Amino acid sequence: MNTVPKIDTKHAESAPPPGMDPAEWETRVDLAACYRLVDMYGMTDLHLNHISARVPGKEEHFLINPFGLMYEEITASSLIKVDLDGKIIANANPQYTVNLPGYVIHSAIHGARHDVKCVLHTHTNAGMAVSVLKCGLLPLTQTAMRWGKIAYHDFEGVVVDLDERARLVQNLGDCEVMILRNHGLLACGITIGQAFNSIYRLERACQTQLMAMACNSEMVMPPQEVITRSNTQLSVMPSPDASGKKRPHGSLEWPALKRMLDRRDPSYKT
């Protein structure tokens, strides 16, 4: 009789360094995992771009990558802790600092959106291409209907001026994702797993739209009532878990993604 092997749903966690809050270490491990996954799925731009996570219990502090490290090099201990005013609180590698546009974008959102734990920004080819289309992202596929509302922010130049922060957060509003015109993509989430899920889906939605448009053939746009219904269905995962509960996007696959990283290269936990 054949038996189905059980999935090992546990993965060994590393212990926090002496004196570090275990909750902060757990966030560092998850954020480092997010960097590795963004690299694994081809959403990097050399050492550029940034992903941040709010430090638990310290609303005014967030973690971000050292400017100059590749995403595949990011580890839990290498992440820089900075406050909303740009002061570096902890940095294990002082030869690196924080990318200025990264600070401007992430401090703006963490300062205004207290529901957001993670902010993720990319410069992928597909994301940049859709960002220059006047139509923006179209609800052509189920994947593109993941969000009922997508924010847009017009290009003002490289994001290094602090006064742009107010316009960024105003345009983001309460959205989960934003397309930065002539620039790239941005996603935020109440968890790191949710933010990764959003950027992964947004990237795939951009890719498939560009592929369809490149066919130079008439495209089928679903009726608005179907799009609206799909937006509502996809506000959470439409398929319930084993307990019958419909869970937030990113919550079910995040442990599995970390187990995949553990099998391939667990050094992100160090």
Side-chain angles (χ1 to χ4, degrees):
M1 179 178 178
N2 293 329
T3 59
V4 178
K6 290 185 177 181
I7 298 172
D8 181 7
T9 57
K10 297 180 180 180
H11 50 274
E13 295 292 353
S14 58
M20 180 174 289
D21 183 350
E24 177 180 332
W25 182 249
E26 181 180 0
T27 298
R28 283 176 171 271
V29 169
D30 276 2
L31 184 56
C34 192
Y35 275 102
R36 298 294 186 95
L37 288 164
V38 168
D39 176 70
M40 183 180 297
Y41 285 101
M43 293 186 282
T44 56
D45 184 9
L46 296 180
H47 67 294
L48 300 176
N49 296 142
H50 13 82
I51 315 170
S52 66
R54 195 187 301 275
V55 177
K58 296 285 187 179
E59 290 295 300
E60 72 282 10
H61 294 168
F62 63 91
L63 303 166
I64 197 166
N65 54 310
F67 186 44
L69 290 186
M70 303 296 282
Y71 277 27
E72 67 173 9
E73 297 181 283
I74 299 295
T75 63
S77 60
S78 70
L79 293 161
I80 297 176
K81 181 161 59 174
V82 62
D83 68 14
L84 294 176
D85 294 324
K87 179 183 177 183
I88 291 179
I89 308 301
N91 183 4
N93 300 285
Q95 69 270 34
Y96 297 104
T97 188
V98 175
N99 182 341
L100 180 55
Y103 163 70
V104 173
I105 292 171
H106 294 262
S107 65
I109 297 172
H110 284 299
R113 288 279 302 273
H114 300 289
D115 60 312
V116 168
K117 179 177 180 179
C118 179
V119 181
L120 203 165
H121 170 50
T122 62
H123 288 168
T124 61
N125 289 343
M128 289 189 289
V130 170
S131 78
V132 307
L133 297 177
K134 190 172 183 179
C135 64
L137 184 67
L138 300 172
L140 292 170
T141 61
Q142 176 177 286
T143 299
M145 297 177 210
R146 157 75 173 79
W147 310 274
K149 185 169 56 173
I150 294 175
Y152 289 85
H153 176 69
D154 286 340
F155 187 64
E156 301 182 18
V158 180
V159 189
V160 293
D161 296 325
L162 295 181
D163 64 356
E164 190 173 348
R165 292 189 294 183
R167 294 182 292 279
L168 270 167
V169 298
Q170 181 179 12
N171 290 330
L172 177 63
D174 62 354
C175 292
E176 293 179 75
V177 295
M178 181 160 68
I179 295 178
L180 304 172
R181 292 287 192 185
N182 310 95
H183 187 173
L185 306 178
L186 184 142
C188 54
I190 59 174
T191 67
I192 294 172
Q194 182 177 323
F196 177 78
N197 176 282
S198 285
I199 204 69
Y200 177 86
R201 298 295 176 196
L202 185 59
E203 173 66 17
R204 288 175 67 84
C206 289
Q207 290 175 354
T208 51
Q209 176 174 319
L210 294 171
M211 292 169 68
M213 295 175 78
C215 293
N216 197 28
S217 181
E218 186 176 1
M219 296 184 293
V220 176
M221 180 73 74
Q224 184 56 52
E225 59 267 24
V226 173
I227 295 171
T228 301
R229 180 169 180 260
S230 299
N231 293 152
T232 301
Q233 290 174 319
L234 292 167
S235 61
V236 294
M237 295 179 65
S239 181
D241 64 14
S243 67
K245 180 181 178 181
K246 290 186 176 181
R247 297 172 59 172
H249 289 284
S251 61
L252 193 61
E253 73 271 27
W254 186 248
L257 287 166
K258 289 176 69 179
R259 291 195 303 271
M260 179 178 68
L261 285 177
D262 288 346
R263 292 189 297 270
R264 298 186 182 200
D265 180 5
S267 65
Y268 71 95
K269 295 178 175 181
T270 60

